[in-house]
Amino acid sequence: GAGLFTSERKNSIIERLQVSNLSSFQIYLARLIPIVIVVFMGVAIAGVASALLLGAHWGNVLISAAIVLLTVTAATAFEMMIYEMTNSMIATIILSFGIVWFMGYVGGYFEAYVISDMKEWVKQLSPLYHANRSLAELSCMGHSSYVLSSIIYSLGMIVGCSGISLIIGKIRRAD
């Protein structure tokens, strides 16, 4: 995504898009979809390679792929929202790294499930917890009670972050 936004800025594409007949939603989708496709393809290649070379088991592959796709889309929408808010790639990288690291900490990424210092209700606040837990359980047990909550969190982030991005984009476009 950083390359796309840098190229847009460098080649004055933002100004060109602002005078085009495209709606803010169309411009948003023209940015979101390619980023999601490229990131998901990279994750899919890594997933296939880990299965073939390392013997990783993904449980129900279709459900796991859907969770990964929704999580990638939610993360992209989140990062695009931060970019729209700050209009700075450096600020976006710093803020998103900090927020993702903190949510990963809260969501228990840095601890074992068996030995957990974090309260369960605090973990439940982290979208990363739901995605990670559902994928881990799918891999280990073949099913997970966190699949639905992971999907709901991701869809909520996609709709919420996209809505905020579109509102900010419309305000900027009006200026």
Side-chain angles (χ1 to χ4, degrees), residues 99-164:
I99 292 168
V100 169
W101 189 92
F102 178 76
M103 291 309 287
Y105 174 74
V106 168
Y109 263 37
F110 308 112
E111 65 183 12
Y113 286 122
V114 179
I115 306 167
S116 178
D117 292 339
M118 197 64 65
K119 300 283 186 211
E120 187 65 28
W121 69 269
V122 175
K123 289 182 189 179
Q124 295 288 335
L125 298 175
S126 173
L128 296 175
Y129 177 74
H130 293 269
N132 188 42
R133 181 82 184 253
S134 63
L135 291 171
E137 288 180 357
L138 283 168
S139 174
C140 294
M141 301 183 302
H143 61 86
S144 174
S145 61
Y146 283 86
V147 169
L148 183 61
S149 63
S150 175
I151 291 170
I152 290 170
Y153 262 91
S154 292
L155 290 174
M157 283 183 66
I158 293 165
V159 171
C161 294
S162 296
I164 292 169

Side-chain angles (χ1 to χ4, degrees), residues 12-131:
S12 302
I13 293 180
I14 296 167
E15 290 80 14
R16 293 177 193 177
L17 290 174
Q18 288 176 338
V19 296
S20 72
N21 235 0
L22 297 173
S23 69
S24 296
F25 183 68
Q26 290 171 319
I27 294 169
Y28 181 79
L29 287 179
R31 290 170 146 182
L32 179 76
I33 292 171
I35 295 170
V36 169
I37 289 171
V38 168
V39 172
F40 182 72
M41 285 174 48
V43 172
I45 291 168
V48 169
S50 69
L52 295 175
L53 300 174
L54 304 173
H57 177 64
W58 290 97
N60 186 324
V61 176
L62 290 177
I63 293 174
S64 294
I67 290 170
V68 170
L69 178 62
L70 286 171
T71 304
V72 165
T73 307
T76 304
F78 174 73
E79 302 242 346
M80 287 176 65
M81 178 190 71
I82 293 175
Y83 183 74
E84 284 292 334
M85 288 177 169
T86 63
N87 205 24
S88 165
M89 189 53 60
I90 294 170
T92 301
I93 291 168
I94 293 169
L95 283 171
S96 65
F97 176 80
I99 292 168
V100 169
W101 189 92
F102 178 76
M103 291 309 287
Y105 174 74
V106 168
Y109 263 37
F110 308 112
E111 65 183 12
Y113 286 122
V114 179
I115 306 167
S116 178
D117 292 339
M118 197 64 65
K119 300 283 186 211
E120 187 65 28
W121 69 269
V122 175
K123 289 182 189 179
Q124 295 288 335
L125 298 175
S126 173
L128 296 175
Y129 177 74
H130 293 269

